[in-house]
Amino acid sequence: MLGIISFVGFTALVAIISYFATRKTDESSSDGYFLGGRSLTAGVIAGSLLLTNLSTEQIVGLNGSAYKDGLSVMAWETLAAIAIVITAIFLLPRYLKGGLTTIPGFLAKRFDTTTKTITSGLFLTGYVVVLLPVILYSGSVAISGMFDIPTLLGVSDKTALVLCIWGIGIIGSVYAVFGGLKAVVVSDSINAIGLLIGGMLIPIFGLMAIGDGSVLGGLDILISSDPARFDSTGNAGQEVPFSTIFTGMMLVQLFYWGTNQQIIQRALGAKNLAEGQKGLLLASFLKILGPLILVLPGMIAYHYFDNGLASSDMAYPELVRAVLPKPLVGFFAAVLFGAILSSFNSVLNSSVTLFGIDIYKQHINPDAPENIVVKYGKIFGICLALAAMFIAPLIANADSLFNYLQKINGIYSIPIFTIIVVGYLTKRVPAIAAKIGIVSGSVLYIISEFVVGPSMVKAALDKAEVAGITDVDALRLIEAGAYPHFLHNMAILFVLNIIIMLVIGYFYPRKEPFVLEYTNQVSITPYKYVNQVGLAICVIVIAIYVYFAK
């Protein structure tokens, strides 16, 4: 009961603070609603970025991956720091110079309106079919397990899951749809503090459980018991082989942190370029510490449970249940609930923005005043949330929730990233090249990963079965060798798409070169130490990899 009281109290406190912090925001204007009035400061941007990224699909999923493969999966966190630095130095100045509200908005200026609409449609499809349902599902599993909702309410596991999905979905929708971006980032910033504190408690108590009350003693036991699991360079057969960090891994990171609407929208709402860059750099530095929350607990669970869990994705919730003192469970559940809400309402708010600006205003009612655009954006957000809540219970447990999510996202992430890169680095590649690039990238990826790849893997495993091979590790190596890793395939298709677009641009160039005009909406004077701080962060990341490389 104490846990439930602390859970409700902390959640209510965040809601109240968010309400009073956003009362003066003009929600009838697109800048006021979609970008928080372009008034966000560095600390708010950094906190919101971190908590938007941290949710149960990250916390549960990535720790599950660490349970299986060890430290090598930290690439999803540490390499994000480099991607954020690149975004701060190269992408954000261009975004703010053009006064962008959405990333597809740039594509309309660079190519044409149809390209923008196709891109917005891809984003929205990915959000409603994949990302939002996964956030709701994984979050509901965690909350239901922490409070043992089936026993508490006397219902089945399935009913408890549905109740949690709708509870999270409704509360998250209120934040995102009716509060706008500023309500989202304020609640994110408050929850980020709690998540950092609560997230650090799990590895601390986990190490104490291993080391008979000593954190350092537990860490020493964890390392000495299986030093190979502390190798930063992943091997073939693991989720993140070392070679992938030089190919598709960096492309995924650059797309997510540099072009994904749900993430970059926080920086687009910066009061000026300097504040936006400082916020991104602060977030990138904190991402270096991410493995302490998102990787180390999974490795502790592997040792604590002696690799005896039925599913790797149960590593984190089982460790929390085993090592966290009961009085702290309510606080941690509230923090985790905030993280779930953050990712859900951030994606939903970005969806509302994409629809309102890029679809409703552009195609449905071009003459609509801003308050009408916001109104119908909110209506669309409600419909989107309802759709996600209906889809979420249909998601089945995957072998690795986090890896599955990244693989599915490749359908739209790499094609979109390709046309943005070509759009910024060239001046005469035409709109038809962008359209072909989006379609070819998506279709080729689907064929590669969901048709050709599975058939080749199945053939290899069937051959192994005939040969009498049953060892799990041996089968993983056979599966890995049967077809290139999906991150390698992303890099191959990225290069192929760029070549296709450049060839089209060579034979059918634009009549006039593209010029990005300065809209004077915010100051684009950069943070004077952006290059030095960015370089320092990159050096730290490389040093961490070198230190842990075996």
Side-chain angles (χ1 to χ4, degrees):
M1 182 58 68
L2 180 61
I4 294 177
I5 293 173
S6 61
F7 170 81
V8 173
F10 186 82
T11 304
L13 177 63
V14 173
I16 292 170
I17 294 175
S18 300
Y19 169 75
F20 281 104
T22 58
R23 280 199 307 170
K24 295 182 179 180
T25 301
D26 181 11
E27 294 183 5
S28 64
S29 70
S30 58
D31 270 2
Y33 179 77
F34 296 127
L35 294 179
R38 296 189 188 269
S39 62
L40 306 185
T41 58
V44 172
I45 293 169
S48 181
L49 280 171
L50 289 176
L51 202 66
T52 298
N53 176 239
L54 288 179
S55 190
T56 44
E57 81 277 6
Q58 293 275 343
I59 297 173
V60 174
L62 194 51
N63 274 300
S65 297
Y67 177 89
K68 289 198 305 182
D69 291 342
L71 191 64
S72 61
V73 300
M74 75 174 187
W76 291 114
E77 283 298 293
T78 50
L79 292 185
I82 296 179
I84 299 173
V85 168
I86 294 173
T87 299
I89 295 176
F90 296 105
L91 292 178
L92 188 61
R94 291 166 174 80
Y95 291 158
L96 295 186
K97 180 180 180 181
L100 298 184
T101 303
T102 68
I103 296 304
F106 160 72
L107 299 177
K109 296 180 179 180
R110 174 59 181 85
F111 297 111
D112 61 11
T113 302
T114 304
T115 302
K116 178 185 75 169
T117 304
I118 293 173
T119 306
S120 296
L122 274 177
F123 269 124
L124 291 173
T125 302
Y127 288 165
V128 71
V129 175
V130 181
L131 192 51
L132 284 173
V134 167
I135 291 170
L136 287 176
Y137 177 81
S138 59
S140 298
V141 169
I143 294 298
S144 180
M146 273 189 172
F147 286 119
D148 194 11
I149 299 296
T151 302
L152 186 67
L153 300 181
V155 297
S156 66
D157 291 344
K158 184 177 181 180
T159 301
L161 182 67
V162 172
L163 289 174
C164 289
I165 285 171
W166 281 82
I168 294 170
I170 291 171
I171 296 173
S173 301
V174 170
Y175 270 112
V177 175
F178 298 104
L181 180 65
K182 196 165 185 180
V184 171
V185 297
V186 170
S187 62
D188 283 358
S189 301
I190 300 168
N191 279 315
I193 298 171
L195 184 64
L196 290 174
I197 296 172
M200 285 303 301
L201 289 178
I202 306 306
I204 289 174
F205 281 108
L207 291 173
M208 289 174 64
I210 295 175
D212 292 327
S214 170
V215 174
L216 295 179
L219 183 61
D220 184 59
I221 292 172
L222 187 64
I223 295 174
S224 60
S225 64
D226 197 346
R229 288 179 57 79
F230 279 82
D231 184 5
S232 60
T233 58
N235 302 316
Q238 294 186 333
E239 288 188 11
V240 187
F242 184 61
S243 58
T244 60
I245 70 175
F246 301 103
T247 57
M249 173 63 78
M250 278 309 302
L251 295 178
V252 171
Q253 298 283 12
L254 287 170
F255 166 80
Y256 185 83
W257 293 101
T259 67
N260 194 351
Q261 182 68 26
Q262 72 171 111
I263 293 295
I264 202 63
Q265 189 169 338
R266 280 104 188 90
L268 295 181
K271 62 191 301 184
N272 53 53
L273 175 59
E275 285 295 309
Q277 288 180 323
K278 286 188 286 186
L280 288 172
L281 291 175
L282 177 58
S284 69
F285 177 76
L286 294 176
K287 286 300 288 183
I288 298 174
L289 306 178
L292 296 176
I293 297 175
L294 296 171
V295 177
L296 183 57
M299 299 177 69
I300 294 172
Y302 179 89
H303 179 89
Y304 186 88
F305 297 110
D306 195 23
N307 192 25
L309 295 178
S311 169
S312 61
D313 285 330
M314 292 302 296
Y316 194 79
E318 288 294 333
L319 184 67
V320 171
R321 188 177 296 111
V323 304
L324 196 64
K326 301 302 180 186
L328 294 177
V329 171
F331 166 74
F332 185 73
V335 169
L336 191 61
F337 184 69
I340 299 165
L341 284 182
S342 170
S343 289
F344 179 77
N345 59 30
S346 296
V347 175
L348 192 58
N349 181 262
S350 298
S351 302
V352 169
T353 305
L354 288 171
F355 176 81
I357 299 296
D358 293 343
I359 295 179
Y360 183 82
K361 178 70 173 177
Q362 187 72 53
H363 299 285
I364 299 175
N365 190 356
D367 298 323
E370 291 194 341
N371 64 316
I372 297 298
V373 174
V374 171
K375 174 186 174 181
Y376 281 95
K378 290 179 179 181
I379 293 173
F380 175 79
I382 294 171
C383 296
L384 201 68
L386 289 172
M389 284 181 257
F390 278 112
I391 294 173
L394 305 178
I395 297 177
N397 286 321
D399 178 57
S400 171
L401 183 65
F402 187 78
N403 217 43
Y404 168 80
L405 179 62
Q406 298 301 332
K407 191 172 183 178
I408 294 294
N409 282 342
I411 295 173
Y412 66 94
S413 63
I414 297 305
I416 291 175
F417 184 64
T418 303
I419 64 172
I420 290 175
V421 169
V422 173
Y424 269 123
L425 297 184
T426 68
K427 296 183 178 181
R428 289 189 178 271
V429 172
I432 185 63
K435 297 184 185 70
I436 293 174
I438 291 176
V439 174
S440 64
S442 298
V443 171
L444 290 175
Y445 183 82
I446 290 171
I447 293 173
S448 171
E449 290 304 316
F450 302 104
V451 179
V452 178
S455 65
M456 294 184 68
V457 169
K458 184 178 184 303
L461 293 178
D462 288 343
K463 187 176 180 180
E465 184 180 0
V466 172
I469 300 174
T470 58
D471 181 71
V472 175
D473 292 333
L475 290 174
R476 287 184 72 179
L477 288 174
I478 291 172
E479 183 176 350
Y483 194 71
H485 195 282
F486 77 92
L487 289 173
H488 287 319
N489 287 333
M490 284 183 175
I492 293 170
L493 293 177
F494 174 74
V495 174
L496 179 60
N497 260 5
I498 286 181
I499 292 173
I500 291 172
M501 292 183 67
L502 292 179
V503 169
I504 295 173
Y506 178 80
F507 289 103
Y508 304 98
R510 282 172 54 122
K511 293 181 180 180
E512 298 293 334
F514 170 74
V515 177
L516 183 64
E517 297 180 355
Y518 179 29
T519 62
N520 290 292
Q521 292 192 24
V522 297
S523 168
I524 57 171
T525 302
Y527 172 48
K528 62 180 179 179
Y529 299 117
V530 64
N531 293 324
Q532 295 91 323
V533 175
L535 178 61
I537 291 171
C538 292
V539 169
I540 292 173
V541 171
I542 295 172
I544 291 173
Y545 261 92
V546 171
Y547 179 80
F548 285 105
K550 303 298 182 184

